[in-house]
Structure formats: structure tokens, C-alpha cells
Amino acid sequence: MKARVIVTLKNGVLDPQGKAIEGALASLGIKDVDGVRQGKVFDIELGQADAETARETLKAACEKLLANTVIENYSIDIA
Amino acid sequence: MKARVIVTLKNGVLDPQGKAIEGALASLGIKDVDGVRQGKVFDIELGQADAETARETLKAACEKLLANTVIENYSIDIA
């Protein structure tokens, strides 16, 4: 079973990397970009056949390792 | 207009970061994870109201800055 986990910064958390990308796009002549925020994506291959068990495994993975839940949100998408 | 760009490694390109995450999950007791590949996600706020123009802007941004098209794929999702 394949799953995709997306980890993004919470609103209000500063994102200097996103700001740098915004500046770089402007200097490359790409206009009309009002904001960029960068996050992480994890494409995960799971052995479980059951979606419910898979979701629990992924939730544990996010809480323990993939996301810093103080400043980041995560979303789990099971294909 | 909001858009999400996801940049992932092409198949066949080694992903040591993903491998490290896989090992870390196993050592945390999270089982049944058969593979992890890490990518990047960009949440972009655009000034354009027209989806077609926005897609062209984002395509240019990906080709010029956000993705290394030799080893990475990108997907553009306009909300």
C-alpha cells in the first residue's frame, strides 16, 4: 500500500527558506508570486493491506519522527 | 490563487535521506514500512486570477528553480 505524508509549517511560523525562494523567483523574472512556503513530502510504501492499520502506523511515524508537531502540521493520504 | 507544487525524485535515483528515515522508523519500533522516499512541497500564493497563466508561471518556476529536472519530477496542483 502506498501513502503520501505532507508536512507543512503551521501558520504564523516564520519560513526563511520560503522567503528566499520568493526572492529568487523574483530575481529570475517570475512575477506575481505573492508568497512561498516550503514543506516536506514523504512517499511511503507500507506492508499493511488494511487502510486503518496503515493510517495508525503513519500517524505514529509522523508524531515520532516525520513532523515536529509544535511547529508543523501533517496530512496523511493513503492511495 | 493558491497552488501546491510537489517535487519528487525520479524512479531509479538513489535517496539516502529516505533510506535514513526508513532505518530510523524501524529503530523506533514502527514496522511494516517497506520504503520511504522524500521530496519537497511548495505552497505558493499567486497574484494571477487565471488558472492557465498561473500554471505557466509555476511551470517556469519549476523548470528554473524549484526542481532539478535531470533527477526530479514535479507536479502542479492549482486550488
Side-chain angles (χ1 to χ4, degrees):
Chain A
M1 183 174 281
K2 279 179 188 294
R4 173 164 277 182
V5 171
I6 293 180
V7 176
T8 50
L9 284 170
K10 287 185 179 175
N11 285 336
V13 178
L14 287 179
D15 181 9
Q17 200 173 0
K19 279 279 165 214
I21 293 166
E22 210 179 312
L25 287 173
S27 71
L28 284 170
I30 295 169
K31 292 180 179 71
D32 266 337
V33 174
D34 294 338
V36 179
R37 286 177 78 77
Q38 181 165 5
K40 288 170 282 187
V41 57
F42 303 95
D43 287 320
I44 300 177
E45 183 74 43
L46 289 159
Q48 286 104 339
D50 171 42
E52 203 45 56
T53 324
R55 190 171 292 277
E56 269 168 42
T57 303
L58 290 170
K59 206 175 160 202
C62 287
E63 297 281 341
K64 287 187 186 170
L65 184 75
L66 301 180
N68 174 355
T69 53
V70 177
I71 57 164
E72 291 172 327
N73 292 322
Y74 61 85
S75 70
I76 296 169
D77 202 14
I78 294 177
Chain B
M1 183 173 281
K2 279 179 189 294
R4 172 164 277 182
V5 172
I6 293 180
V7 176
T8 50
L9 284 170
K10 288 186 180 175
N11 286 335
V13 178
L14 287 178
D15 181 9
Q17 201 172 0
K19 280 278 165 214
I21 294 166
E22 210 179 313
L25 287 173
S27 71
L28 284 169
I30 295 168
K31 292 181 179 71
D32 266 338
V33 174
D34 294 337
V36 179
R37 286 178 76 79
Q38 181 165 7
K40 288 170 282 187
V41 56
F42 303 95
D43 286 319
I44 300 177
E45 183 74 47
L46 288 160
Q48 286 104 336
D50 170 40
E52 204 45 57
T53 323
R55 189 170 293 276
E56 269 168 42
T57 302
L58 290 170
K59 206 174 160 202
C62 287
E63 298 281 341
K64 286 187 187 172
L65 185 75
L66 302 179
N68 174 354
T69 53
V70 178
I71 56 164
E72 291 172 328
N73 292 321
Y74 61 85
S75 70
I76 296 169
D77 202 14
I78 295 177

